[in-house]
Every structure is written in structure tokens, then in C-alpha cells.
Amino acid sequence: MSIRTIAGDCLVHASGHRERTVRGRVLAMVKPDNTVLVHDVDGYQPVAWLTRPESLSITCDPLWLVASDGAETLRIEAVGDVAVDDHDATAAGTPVGPCRCGGTLVRSGTTVACLDCAERFGLPSGASMTDSTCDCGLPTFLVDRGERFELCLDYACGSLLDAVSDRFDREWDCPNCGGALRVLRRGGLIAGCERYPDCDTGFAIPDGTIGGSCDCGLPLFETANSTRCLDSACSSADAA
């Protein structure tokens, strides 16, 4: 991926709710998601910008950029000398360890990416990185889903679904029909009744560890903010 820069004497016109026209020796950046930011020498805020526009077109001789998103439009026109360059760029994040290629892995939100190759890995919510390394050479992370699991960044070494399923599949009974609750992936992880579609009972498995049983028979989870039943709507847990 790359960031394109446009530096020089430009006329910048923004229409829409931030309507203005300015001219100056500015630096414009076009990011991989087509976001356009125009900076001058004053302050930290761009003098004009358009975030993730629906359309973007650039011609280079002469320079003419048009970005549009509904009623919002940003136009940049060269009126003097202008330099256009492309710069290799990556995500910026917290270093978490080495990649298998020898590069550096960084974490940004729920994504871990290598600065030197194309490797990218998704993290489940609530995950924290460790100082340990998997046999494959990648760092590991910890995540709580009923109990604490340590897993490799590469799900080919063992997925969260497999770990939680091995531990909790059929561990609990459906409170509505008595069937076993299976560990399934439906967006996130759920405990869903084995008798589906005759019984459509299902509960999202929360971030947390099991700390007892609810009066309804389902497990109680100790989460970062509270103690709650697997069934988030359970009134027995509220009473407890």
C-alpha cells in the first residue's frame, strides 16, 4: 500500500457543509482508502479534507484531483509547481514481536500486521499479547472465553473456535428444551441448541471466565465490568 503526496502551489475548493476556497503551498495526502487531507504550515488540523469519499479521480498533467461523497466535494488544482510522489506505507501500531519473515509485527486495534511482508492476523475482542512464541515462530495471545486460552496468531495452529469447542461443547443444557448447547461461530462464538431449527436458543459467549452457576442452570461469567449469566437477559443473575 502507498500514500500519495501532492506538494506545491494549489487551489483547493471544498463544497458542502465545510465550504471554502484556499490557495497556498500545501501538502495533500491521498491515503489507500481514498481519504484526502490537505495541510498548510499552520496548526495540526488540515485546511480541507474528505474522509473515504465514494469516488476519487486524479490527473497529473496538469494536476487535478476531485473527490466526491454525496453533497461533499473536494477539488485540488495545481496553479504553480507541484510534485506528486507515492510512498510505501503500513499500518502503525504497538510492536508485539517478530514475524516469521524476520520483520516486525505491530498491533493496531484487533489487527496484527507485519511491517515488512503481507502477513496480517485478526485478534478476537479482549485479547492481550504475551511474550511467548508458538512453535511456528509467531507470538501468542491470551483471550478469555469461559476460561483463559493461549493461542497463536495464526489460526492454522489452533483456532479460538476449536479451543472453546474442545472445552465447552455440550457442557451446558438448553434451558428451553434440555438439548445440549453446541459451541458454534455465528459472527462471534455462541452456545446454540443442538436441536436447531426446532429450538433456536442461542447465547453469545462473553469475554470472561466462568465463576459459578446461575440459578437458571447456565454458567456465570466474570467479565471486565460485571458478573453475568451466559443468558444476558436472565433475571436470576440480576437478582443474585
Side-chain angles (χ1 to χ4, degrees):
M1 292 188 293
S2 65
I3 292 176
R4 175 166 290 188
T5 59
I6 301 166
D9 187 359
C10 296
L11 183 69
V12 180
H13 176 70
S15 62
H17 73 282
R18 291 189 298 266
E19 183 158 356
R20 67 183 309 194
T21 299
V22 297
R23 177 180 171 179
R25 293 192 174 276
V26 298
L27 173 67
M29 294 186 293
V30 183
K31 300 180 71 175
D33 64 357
N34 288 343
T35 291
V36 182
L37 306 169
V38 183
H39 289 273
D40 66 359
V41 296
D42 292 331
Y44 65 90
Q45 185 168 331
V47 295
W49 68 94
L50 193 56
T51 304
R52 300 185 182 91
E54 294 176 350
S55 65
L56 173 72
S57 63
I58 303 175
T59 59
C60 291
D61 190 17
L63 175 79
W64 182 268
L65 178 150
V66 179
S68 299
D69 190 29
E72 304 294 321
T73 300
L74 177 63
R75 297 199 307 271
I76 302 174
E77 177 186 357
V79 290
D81 292 337
V82 172
V84 180
D85 291 292
D86 290 311
H87 309 271
D88 290 338
T90 69
T94 303
V96 297
C99 179
R100 288 177 290 209
C101 74
T104 299
L105 292 168
V106 297
R107 176 180 181 175
S108 178
T110 58
T111 300
V112 174
C114 180
L115 297 182
D116 295 337
C117 73
E119 289 272 40
R120 293 176 68 88
F121 306 95
L123 288 172
S125 62
S128 59
M129 301 302 302
T130 75
D131 294 327
S132 300
T133 303
C134 177
D135 291 341
C136 76
L138 289 173
T140 63
F141 63 90
L142 297 174
V143 63
D144 295 338
R145 293 293 189 276
E147 65 181 46
R148 180 157 292 182
F149 299 97
E150 182 174 353
L151 300 168
C152 177
L153 281 176
D154 189 346
Y155 275 21
C157 294
S159 71
L160 179 59
L161 173 61
D162 290 340
V164 178
S165 182
D166 288 346
R167 176 61 183 85
F168 294 113
D169 193 56
R170 300 183 182 274
E171 181 79 5
W172 313 301
D173 293 332
C174 174
N176 293 322
C177 74
L181 294 178
R182 306 297 309 273
V183 176
L184 309 167
R185 182 177 295 283
R186 297 291 185 270
L189 296 185
I190 71 165
C193 185
E194 65 178 349
R195 295 175 180 170
Y196 179 85
D198 294 327
C199 178
D200 62 0
T201 299
F203 309 105
I205 299 176
D207 302 357
T209 57
I210 294 173
S213 296
C214 182
D215 291 343
C216 73
L218 292 173
L220 286 172
F221 282 75
E222 302 290 341
T223 71
N225 301 314
S226 65
T227 299
R228 51 152 289 189
C229 179
L230 175 63
D231 180 358
S232 60
C234 180
S235 58
S236 298
D238 295 336

